[in-house]
């Protein structure tokens, strides 16, 4: 394996009849990926595609807004997590970008105020952090701010730091996927033990160059978040894990470092965090 796309949704319905071709293209180029679930159904699909393919691993769990009516329950994931191809829990976290009625949990006595939706997200997040710790799996975090810059990042940091203190942890193991925070926040999460990963967006916007240049190479990872946000020269198309090669190249270019050195280190980072 030469490259790992640490976050794709290969188990999503966007990949149908041509999934085999996509995986063959990955194999030919030496690309592996972690297929990430966003609810129970897509977690089951992620484990299925991982079990069937040597170069695919799985991340199981619940996205903060993907399926608002679902509440995270360990019991639902207890069987899945025992599969040896499961390397991570998530994508879980806080998403304050979408706090409208569409993300209100449709359960009895549900509180659809902004505060109510945030509380539901926080409760699911805490359960998944504890689940990951219980099974010694890496965390795949999804953190996205709403109107208040730093709002979701600050709350996620507080939750993690509190658990770290309470449990006397030396460090967390995991990654903040599709990182969109500021440099100081990146550094705070790195101190907690996380890596941060970037998607194809960095091939056409410069907003994250400063962070990519200023954090240690050991704290970076590359991903596609496929089927979304395809990198240049595939922008606008359905994304696939093969295109992570463009993200690797761009990280090397932004840091003005040797592409081969960057490739080897990013591969090493993924192996270390996810135990691959
Ligand atoms: Zn994702």
């Amino acid at each position: 394996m030469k490259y790992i796309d640490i976050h794709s949704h290969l188990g999503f319905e966007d990949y149908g009849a041509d999934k085999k071709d996509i995986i063959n293209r990955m194999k030919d180029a030496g690309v592996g990926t972690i297929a990430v679930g966003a609810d129970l159904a897509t977690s089951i699909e992620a484990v299925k595609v991982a079990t069937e393919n040597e170069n695919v691993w799985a991340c199981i769990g619940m996205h903060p807004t993907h399926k608002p009516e679902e509440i995270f329950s360990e019991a639902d994931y207890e069987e899945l997590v025992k599969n040896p191809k499961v390397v991570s829990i998530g994508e879980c976290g806080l998403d304050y970008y979408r706090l409208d009625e569409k993300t209100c949990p449709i359960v009895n006595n549900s509180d659809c105020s902004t505060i109510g939706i945030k509380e539901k997200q926080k409760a699911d997040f805490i359960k998944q952090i504890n689940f990951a710790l219980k099974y010694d799996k890496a965390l795949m975090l999804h953190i996205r701010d709403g109107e208040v810059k730093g709002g979701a990042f600050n709350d996620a940091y507080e939750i993690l730091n509190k658990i770290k203190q309470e449990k006397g942890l030396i460090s967390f193991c995991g990654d903040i996927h599709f990182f969109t925070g500021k440099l100081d926040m990146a550094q705070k999460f790195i101190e907690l033990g996380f890596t941060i990963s970037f998607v194809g967006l960095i091939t056409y916007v410069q907003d994250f160059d400063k962070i990519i240049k200023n954090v240690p190479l050991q704290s970076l990872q590359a991903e596609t978040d496929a089927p979304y946000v395809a990198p240049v020269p595939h922008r606008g198309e359905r994304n696939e894990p093969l295109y992570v090669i463009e993200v690797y190249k761009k990280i090397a270019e932004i840091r003005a470092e040797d592409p081969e050195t960057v490739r080897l280190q990013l591969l090493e980072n993924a192996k270390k965090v996810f135990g691959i």
Side-chain angles (χ1 to χ4, degrees), residues 7-9 36 63 91 142 177 223 225 228:
H7 187 118
S8 74
H9 296 288
V36 180
H63 185 286
E91 54 184 294
H142 170 107
H177 118 89
E223 58 158 309
D225 203 17
Y228 316 111

PDB file of all heavy atoms in Angstrom, residues 7-9 36 63 91 142 177 223 225 228, ligand 1:
ATOM      1  N   HIS A   7     -10.600   8.563   5.115  1.00  0.00           N
ATOM      2  CA  HIS A   7     -12.028   8.837   5.327  1.00  0.00           C
ATOM      3  C   HIS A   7     -12.761   8.906   3.993  1.00  0.00           C
ATOM      4  O   HIS A   7     -12.679   9.905   3.274  1.00  0.00           O
ATOM      5  CB  HIS A   7     -12.186  10.150   6.097  1.00  0.00           C
ATOM      6  CG  HIS A   7     -13.573  10.480   6.521  1.00  0.00           C
ATOM      7  ND1 HIS A   7     -13.955  10.610   7.839  1.00  0.00           N
ATOM      8  CD2 HIS A   7     -14.704  10.719   5.803  1.00  0.00           C
ATOM      9  CE1 HIS A   7     -15.235  10.917   7.915  1.00  0.00           C
ATOM     10  NE2 HIS A   7     -15.720  10.992   6.686  1.00  0.00           N
ATOM     11  N   SER A   8     -13.451   7.822   3.661  1.00  0.00           N
ATOM     12  CA  SER A   8     -14.332   7.840   2.486  1.00  0.00           C
ATOM     13  C   SER A   8     -15.631   7.169   2.887  1.00  0.00           C
ATOM     14  O   SER A   8     -15.706   6.549   3.944  1.00  0.00           O
ATOM     15  CB  SER A   8     -13.697   7.076   1.326  1.00  0.00           C
ATOM     16  OG  SER A   8     -13.762   5.685   1.587  1.00  0.00           O
ATOM     17  N   HIS A   9     -16.628   7.317   2.034  1.00  0.00           N
ATOM     18  CA  HIS A   9     -17.911   6.659   2.311  1.00  0.00           C
ATOM     19  C   HIS A   9     -18.205   5.632   1.229  1.00  0.00           C
ATOM     20  O   HIS A   9     -19.203   5.714   0.530  1.00  0.00           O
ATOM     21  CB  HIS A   9     -19.024   7.705   2.428  1.00  0.00           C
ATOM     22  CG  HIS A   9     -18.840   8.645   3.574  1.00  0.00           C
ATOM     23  ND1 HIS A   9     -19.020   8.247   4.887  1.00  0.00           N
ATOM     24  CD2 HIS A   9     -18.446   9.948   3.628  1.00  0.00           C
ATOM     25  CE1 HIS A   9     -18.775   9.290   5.691  1.00  0.00           C
ATOM     26  NE2 HIS A   9     -18.415  10.326   4.946  1.00  0.00           N
ATOM     27  N   VAL A  36     -16.277   4.882   6.032  1.00  0.00           N
ATOM     28  CA  VAL A  36     -16.865   5.445   7.241  1.00  0.00           C
ATOM     29  C   VAL A  36     -18.390   5.382   7.200  1.00  0.00           C
ATOM     30  O   VAL A  36     -19.004   5.779   6.204  1.00  0.00           O
ATOM     31  CB  VAL A  36     -16.404   6.914   7.419  1.00  0.00           C
ATOM     32  CG1 VAL A  36     -17.006   7.528   8.681  1.00  0.00           C
ATOM     33  CG2 VAL A  36     -14.884   6.999   7.454  1.00  0.00           C
ATOM     34  N   HIS A  63     -22.894   9.954  12.742  1.00  0.00           N
ATOM     35  CA  HIS A  63     -22.673  11.358  12.400  1.00  0.00           C
ATOM     36  C   HIS A  63     -23.653  12.215  13.217  1.00  0.00           C
ATOM     37  O   HIS A  63     -24.790  11.800  13.441  1.00  0.00           O
ATOM     38  CB  HIS A  63     -22.947  11.485  10.892  1.00  0.00           C
ATOM     39  CG  HIS A  63     -22.667  12.811  10.298  1.00  0.00           C
ATOM     40  ND1 HIS A  63     -23.492  13.896  10.502  1.00  0.00           N
ATOM     41  CD2 HIS A  63     -21.678  13.233   9.485  1.00  0.00           C
ATOM     42  CE1 HIS A  63     -23.006  14.928   9.836  1.00  0.00           C
ATOM     43  NE2 HIS A  63     -21.901  14.562   9.211  1.00  0.00           N
ATOM     44  N   GLU A  91     -18.273   8.566  11.988  1.00  0.00           N
ATOM     45  CA  GLU A  91     -17.810   9.858  12.359  1.00  0.00           C
ATOM     46  C   GLU A  91     -18.770  10.457  13.365  1.00  0.00           C
ATOM     47  O   GLU A  91     -19.975  10.566  13.113  1.00  0.00           O
ATOM     48  CB  GLU A  91     -17.624  10.771  11.138  1.00  0.00           C
ATOM     49  CG  GLU A  91     -18.852  10.902  10.232  1.00  0.00           C
ATOM     50  CD  GLU A  91     -18.554  11.745   9.009  1.00  0.00           C
ATOM     51  OE1 GLU A  91     -18.298  12.948   9.148  1.00  0.00           O
ATOM     52  OE2 GLU A  91     -18.578  11.186   7.894  1.00  0.00           O
ATOM     53  N   HIS A 142     -16.073  14.472  13.588  1.00  0.00           N
ATOM     54  CA  HIS A 142     -16.680  15.430  12.663  1.00  0.00           C
ATOM     55  C   HIS A 142     -17.038  16.660  13.493  1.00  0.00           C
ATOM     56  O   HIS A 142     -17.909  16.594  14.359  1.00  0.00           O
ATOM     57  CB  HIS A 142     -17.942  14.818  12.028  1.00  0.00           C
ATOM     58  CG  HIS A 142     -18.771  15.796  11.242  1.00  0.00           C
ATOM     59  ND1 HIS A 142     -18.825  15.791   9.865  1.00  0.00           N
ATOM     60  CD2 HIS A 142     -19.580  16.811  11.641  1.00  0.00           C
ATOM     61  CE1 HIS A 142     -19.628  16.763   9.451  1.00  0.00           C
ATOM     62  NE2 HIS A 142     -20.096  17.395  10.511  1.00  0.00           N
ATOM     63  N   HIS A 177     -11.575  14.817  11.150  1.00  0.00           N
ATOM     64  CA  HIS A 177     -11.708  14.725   9.699  1.00  0.00           C
ATOM     65  C   HIS A 177     -12.177  16.055   9.126  1.00  0.00           C
ATOM     66  O   HIS A 177     -12.859  16.831   9.799  1.00  0.00           O
ATOM     67  CB  HIS A 177     -12.637  13.534   9.381  1.00  0.00           C
ATOM     68  CG  HIS A 177     -13.884  13.874   8.669  1.00  0.00           C
ATOM     69  ND1 HIS A 177     -13.950  13.912   7.294  1.00  0.00           N
ATOM     70  CD2 HIS A 177     -15.123  14.178   9.116  1.00  0.00           C
ATOM     71  CE1 HIS A 177     -15.192  14.222   6.946  1.00  0.00           C
ATOM     72  NE2 HIS A 177     -15.913  14.387   8.015  1.00  0.00           N
ATOM     73  N   GLU A 223      -7.354  12.651   3.225  1.00  0.00           N
ATOM     74  CA  GLU A 223      -8.597  11.905   3.016  1.00  0.00           C
ATOM     75  C   GLU A 223      -9.331  12.477   1.805  1.00  0.00           C
ATOM     76  O   GLU A 223      -8.963  13.536   1.283  1.00  0.00           O
ATOM     77  CB  GLU A 223      -9.485  12.038   4.264  1.00  0.00           C
ATOM     78  CG  GLU A 223      -9.810  13.486   4.610  1.00  0.00           C
ATOM     79  CD  GLU A 223     -11.061  13.656   5.468  1.00  0.00           C
ATOM     80  OE1 GLU A 223     -12.105  13.108   5.090  1.00  0.00           O
ATOM     81  OE2 GLU A 223     -10.971  14.354   6.495  1.00  0.00           O
ATOM     82  N   ASP A 225     -13.146  12.107   1.773  1.00  0.00           N
ATOM     83  CA  ASP A 225     -14.557  12.279   2.141  1.00  0.00           C
ATOM     84  C   ASP A 225     -15.452  11.935   0.940  1.00  0.00           C
ATOM     85  O   ASP A 225     -16.554  12.450   0.798  1.00  0.00           O
ATOM     86  CB  ASP A 225     -14.873  13.691   2.661  1.00  0.00           C
ATOM     87  CG  ASP A 225     -16.129  13.724   3.531  1.00  0.00           C
ATOM     88  OD1 ASP A 225     -16.572  12.653   3.993  1.00  0.00           O
ATOM     89  OD2 ASP A 225     -16.682  14.823   3.734  1.00  0.00           O
ATOM     90  N   TYR A 228     -18.002  13.095  -1.698  1.00  0.00           N
ATOM     91  CA  TYR A 228     -18.050  14.559  -1.745  1.00  0.00           C
ATOM     92  C   TYR A 228     -16.689  15.173  -2.085  1.00  0.00           C
ATOM     93  O   TYR A 228     -15.676  14.490  -2.093  1.00  0.00           O
ATOM     94  CB  TYR A 228     -18.530  15.100  -0.381  1.00  0.00           C
ATOM     95  CG  TYR A 228     -19.703  14.325   0.178  1.00  0.00           C
ATOM     96  CD1 TYR A 228     -19.563  13.530   1.315  1.00  0.00           C
ATOM     97  CD2 TYR A 228     -20.945  14.354  -0.458  1.00  0.00           C
ATOM     98  CE1 TYR A 228     -20.631  12.796   1.817  1.00  0.00           C
ATOM     99  CE2 TYR A 228     -22.020  13.620   0.037  1.00  0.00           C
ATOM    100  CZ  TYR A 228     -21.860  12.838   1.172  1.00  0.00           C
ATOM    101  OH  TYR A 228     -22.900  12.102   1.661  1.00  0.00           O
TER     102      TYR A 228
HETATM  103 ZN1  LIG B   1     -17.568  11.895   6.039  1.00  0.00          ZN
END
